[in-house]
Amino acid sequence: MTDDKKDLEKPETEQENTSEQLENTGSQEHKGKKNNLANLPVPEEMPVLPLHGFVFFPGMGFPMQISHPSSQQLVDDAIIKDRLVAVVTHRRLEDESEEDSRPSEALPEIPATPKGENLYSMGVVGYIHKLIKSDDGVYQVLMSAVKKLRIAEYTQHTPYLRARVTTVPMEESMDKESEAMLLNIRNQFKNMADLGGVPKELSMTVAALTNPFYIAYLVISQVGLSMEEEEAVLEIEDLKELLNRVGHELNKKLETVEMSHKIQKGIKQDMDKKQREFFLREQLKAIRKELGEDDEKIDLKELRERLDKAELPEEPKKTAEKELDRLNRISPSSPEYTVSRTYLDWLIDLPWQTATEDNLDLKRAQEVMDADHYGLDDIKKRIIEFLAVRKLKQDMHGPILCFVGPPGVGKTSLGQSIARSMGRKFVRISLGGVRDEAEIRGHRRTYIGALPGRIIQSLRKAGSCNPLFMLDEIDKLGMDFRGDPSSALLEVLDPEQNFSFSDHYLEIPFDLSKVMFITTANMLDSIPGPLRDRMEVIELSGYTEEEKMHIARRHLVPKQLEAHAISEDDLRLDDEALAGIIRSYTREAGVRNLERKIGGVCRGVARKIVEGHSGLIAVSPKDLAEYLGPPQFFSESKARTWGPGLATGLAWTPVGGELLFIETARMKGKGNLSLTGKLGEVMKESANAALTYIRSHTDKLELDEKIFADNDIHVHVPEGAIPKDGPSAGVAMVVSLASQLTGKPVRREVAMTGEITLRGDVLPVGGIKEKVLAAVRADIPEVILPRLNEKDLSDLPESAKKKVKFHLVHDINEALKVALEPGEKK
């Protein structure tokens, strides 16, 4: 006969139940029997149901499917009689594998010999609790193992096996040794459950059972022995021997579970961030591969194509090839991959040999610069000369110019105009406040987030190796613990060195000799000497009133009209009004404030238009107060109370020339000299030198020497909150002291500048153009200058020369003759 059990599934509780649990199942008609299954009488002869590839132990319950007719008849007969069957395991055949011996839905009929050679002799008494017949003719049977039995002999072979059996007693007599072994089995089984080797519910079941045989059989069923080994355990009749065998097998299983747990724990601890990232990247790679987007291979292929197309010189190309080979060997999960990838991008994208063609048409270049800027003839002349030489010599290095002048005179916009006239790309870099050397030379690649310096970054942005670089505010570079940027610029701004400029990030020389560098500054004093020596300095002085008028008409007024959506049909700003703005509302070397004031007039006109005014609005000088408020500036020389001791000097400032008034007073005292007005050391020395000269030349000035012993002298320079220094006020100091001591007033229409010596010589000073333009703005018609500054008059605009009369003096006596009012002293 055959066992037609389809699947002995082991759910969460492994489908094993204790006899106590099994007793609580069954049909109503056998309620009395199921309350004491262990004491059921076993008949001498029983039907035999073979099991295929499985061993059942007493105390276990199991479901099975039976489809073979002979086995179904066996079950039907057992249900009618006493529900008891003998369940015996079938031996595995020699040519049968363990897989083949597992229970299946339909098994072939296995003939049994009368001697039982194909079945084990030891089995169990099975009690059928429930039978369900499905529509397809398969029996669903729930059965539990009650007792152990031994087959004595087979008495029937058809239609199913029957045999005489004898029950095998399960004696529960326990001594201390057996109790100790049972306790060890329980503890070990609990440990295995804690490690996840078996469900924890089974551990609780083992702890609740009292029958040692049931405990042993439940534990051994979870150890995972082979069918032959389980059958050998079933055939053990002695309790102590059974507990010893179960404990031995359990210990082996527990060691395996512990080792597996230890390995698993070690693996989890070794799974660090890199490994997790690797797995994630592998998954991402697989996903991209499924989508047909193998980015890494595409990325490297694109890099190779870009490198082949790029026109790199020999050394950068060799470095790029080496870096690309290295990139192929680096894992994409490595941080080095991104660093190397970024470095390759920079090498390939830089314009190593890509250049724009210079427009060498001198006439067109002159027209472009004239259209963009009025005046500035020296700079325009220098650019035209460069283009002329470039036309004759193609490999000429780019010039390095430095535009120095007050704010608002058009230094930066002039650079844009030059780039447009030459057809070059324009790049502007503001250096104001830069304190880190790495801003110029870049960071080394060992740093996280390293990048090239601003020079290389701007070249990549320009896409050309010969752009025009405008380095703005070079006089405002800083220096701190991070280095000195001005020293880093020494190589950049040296035509003899910048053909091999080395950036810390690239570590490959880059040729900057084709770049045209233009720097701007407000003053030269703050630029280090070595850096200043590398540049060709071109000074831009302030504009005269006529030049400002031209600039306003040509550039500022149209720009502000467009910015405020006003046309020429809406606003007319006549020349007198523009002149009024220049004289009364601005006092500057450049035209920035002038542009703001014109914008103020445009805003006022725009308001009127919005409020409903129609037609042309003409703005005259008398209307300026309506739009710009009361005048802010006036002629200081005419506003002051004139008298002896007041002289007008000329001073240079970073924003242009200014008037410098010097006042001298004397009072009864002991010959002390007081200096006020926040004067610098040099200006204080000039005052002392002036007093010394006067005291040593009292005979020429017709002064009584007692005047110095009986009087204190106080020299004051107004606007005391503004620091003042320099030797240029020496002549004005002498004239102011002489005027006060002689009682002769200084001529109101005369301004002066120059350094003096104790012998009375007048030495040359700088900033002549700015100082003369300041006198022109203040409507002062005469200026006293040192004779040695006569050469600087050629730089003055013709309009200024026409408005000012120059007195060139060798010594202070000549200056006094011009500056002091003639006549008797008062």
Side-chain angles (χ1 to χ4, degrees), residues 25 282 315 328 358 445 459 474 517 519 527 541 544 552 619 622 668 705:
T25 62
E282 289 297 318
E315 185 175 356
N328 279 321
D358 285 341
R445 278 189 290 159
L459 282 169
I474 196 172
F517 287 100
T519 65
I527 303 176
S541 302
T544 63
V619 178
K622 63 181 180 179
K668 293 293 184 179
E705 292 186 0

Side-chain angles (χ1 to χ4, degrees), residues 564-694:
H564 294 85
I566 299 174
S567 67
E568 294 181 355
D569 297 332
D570 299 322
L571 170 63
R572 185 180 68 198
L573 195 62
D574 58 23
D575 292 343
E576 290 76 11
L578 276 177
I581 295 175
I582 294 171
R583 294 171 186 169
S584 303
Y585 291 91
T586 63
R587 180 163 292 180
E588 57 176 344
V591 292
R592 279 186 184 152
N593 283 328
L594 175 59
E595 184 176 4
R596 294 190 187 104
K597 297 302 180 182
I598 294 174
V601 174
C602 291
R603 288 192 296 273
V605 172
R607 177 181 176 181
K608 286 187 175 182
I609 294 174
V610 173
E611 290 176 348
H613 188 282
S614 60
L616 176 66
I617 299 177
V619 178
S620 61
K622 63 181 180 179
D623 300 322
L624 293 177
E626 178 185 353
Y627 297 99
L628 302 177
Q632 300 175 9
F633 301 100
F634 46 85
S635 176
E636 295 182 13
S637 61
K638 296 178 180 179
R640 293 182 179 271
T641 302
W642 215 258
L646 179 61
T648 306
L650 295 173
W652 178 91
T653 69
V655 296
E658 293 288 346
L659 297 184
L660 187 69
F661 293 95
I662 298 174
E663 300 175 346
T664 302
R666 63 188 176 98
M667 67 289 294
K668 293 293 184 179
K670 299 181 179 180
N672 296 324
L673 175 64
S674 300
L675 303 173
T676 58
K678 204 170 185 180
L679 308 181
E681 292 297 325
V682 176
M683 188 169 282
K684 290 179 180 179
E685 291 172 0
S686 295
N688 282 291
L691 182 60
T692 300
Y693 171 80
I694 290 175

Side-chain angles (χ1 to χ4, degrees), residues 290-437:
E290 289 295 326
L291 295 174
E293 301 176 358
D294 196 348
D295 286 349
E296 292 170 11
K297 292 183 179 179
I298 294 175
D299 200 22
L300 294 177
K301 184 179 179 181
E302 289 178 352
L303 278 176
R304 170 59 64 185
E305 292 176 354
R306 288 171 57 197
L307 181 58
D308 293 338
K309 293 179 181 178
E311 299 178 359
L312 269 64
E314 182 178 355
E315 185 175 356
K317 188 169 185 178
K318 184 178 179 181
T319 303
E321 292 279 0
K322 183 178 179 181
E323 197 68 26
L324 186 58
D325 292 340
R326 179 171 174 265
L327 191 65
N328 279 321
R329 299 191 298 268
I330 299 177
S331 170
S333 62
S334 172
E336 286 294 322
Y337 185 89
T338 304
V339 174
S340 183
R341 176 71 172 78
T342 305
Y343 179 68
L344 265 175
D345 281 337
W346 278 102
L347 284 181
I348 295 173
D349 292 343
L350 282 176
W352 297 92
Q353 301 184 71
T354 305
T356 57
E357 185 177 355
D358 285 341
N359 187 342
L360 302 178
D361 187 346
L362 305 186
K363 183 178 180 181
R364 179 185 177 279
Q366 185 71 51
E367 291 175 352
V368 170
M369 289 188 289
D370 287 342
D372 292 345
H373 292 82
Y374 180 83
L376 306 178
D377 295 330
D378 289 342
I379 297 177
K380 296 175 182 177
K381 177 184 175 184
R382 179 66 182 86
I383 299 305
I384 296 298
E385 290 173 350
F386 166 73
L387 293 178
V389 177
R390 185 62 183 265
K391 197 168 186 176
L392 299 175
K393 185 176 175 60
Q394 293 296 327
D395 59 347
M396 175 188 175
H397 290 176
I400 297 174
L401 308 178
C402 180
F403 296 164
V404 180
V409 296
K411 299 185 293 296
T412 304
S413 61
L414 184 60
Q416 295 174 333
S417 179
I418 294 171
R420 190 163 68 89
S421 66
M422 296 176 63
R424 290 196 177 193
K425 299 291 184 65
F426 178 77
V427 177
R428 176 183 173 273
I429 299 177
S430 177
L431 299 179
V434 173
R435 296 176 176 272
D436 191 354
E437 178 192 356

Side-chain angles (χ1 to χ4, degrees), residues 45-115:
E45 186 176 321
M46 298 179 65
V48 179
L49 181 66
L51 285 182
H52 190 72
F54 213 87
V55 176
F56 282 103
F57 297 96
M60 295 175 58
F62 50 90
M64 64 175 61
Q65 291 181 345
I66 300 176
S67 58
H68 199 279
S70 61
S71 297
Q72 289 180 348
Q73 185 177 352
L74 183 150
V75 172
D76 289 337
D77 293 345
I79 288 291
I80 294 173
K81 188 177 181 182
D82 55 6
R83 294 179 176 253
L84 297 178
V85 296
V87 183
V88 183
T89 301
H90 189 282
R91 296 178 186 273
R92 185 178 291 126
L93 302 179
E94 293 182 0
D95 59 346
E96 184 181 21
S97 66
E98 188 173 352
E99 286 287 330
D100 298 332
S101 65
R102 291 179 180 175
S104 60
E105 180 178 1
L107 298 176
E109 184 171 347
I110 303 174
T113 63
K115 296 181 180 180

Side-chain angles (χ1 to χ4, degrees), residues 734-796:
V734 173
V735 171
S736 177
L737 286 168
S739 172
Q740 176 59 241
L741 296 174
T742 61
K744 295 181 179 181
V746 181
R747 295 172 58 202
R748 186 191 296 266
E749 63 272 15
V750 175
M752 60 205 75
T753 184
E755 183 179 359
I756 62 167
T757 66
L758 295 179
R759 300 172 58 86
D761 296 329
V762 177
L763 302 181
V765 292
I768 295 299
K769 184 176 181 180
E770 289 81 0
K771 294 174 181 178
V772 172
L773 292 179
V776 172
R777 288 196 298 270
D779 294 328
I780 296 179
E782 297 183 36
V783 175
I784 298 175
L785 298 176
R787 171 70 65 178
L788 295 177
N789 281 122
E790 184 177 6
K791 57 182 176 52
D792 297 313
L793 298 181
S794 60
D795 296 334
L796 296 176

Side-chain angles (χ1 to χ4, degrees), residues 445-466:
R445 278 189 290 159
T446 53
Y447 295 103
I448 296 175
L451 284 174
R454 290 195 185 183
I455 302 296
I456 297 299
Q457 290 185 41
S458 300
L459 282 169
R460 180 187 183 184
K461 183 178 179 180
S464 167
C465 66
N466 66 335

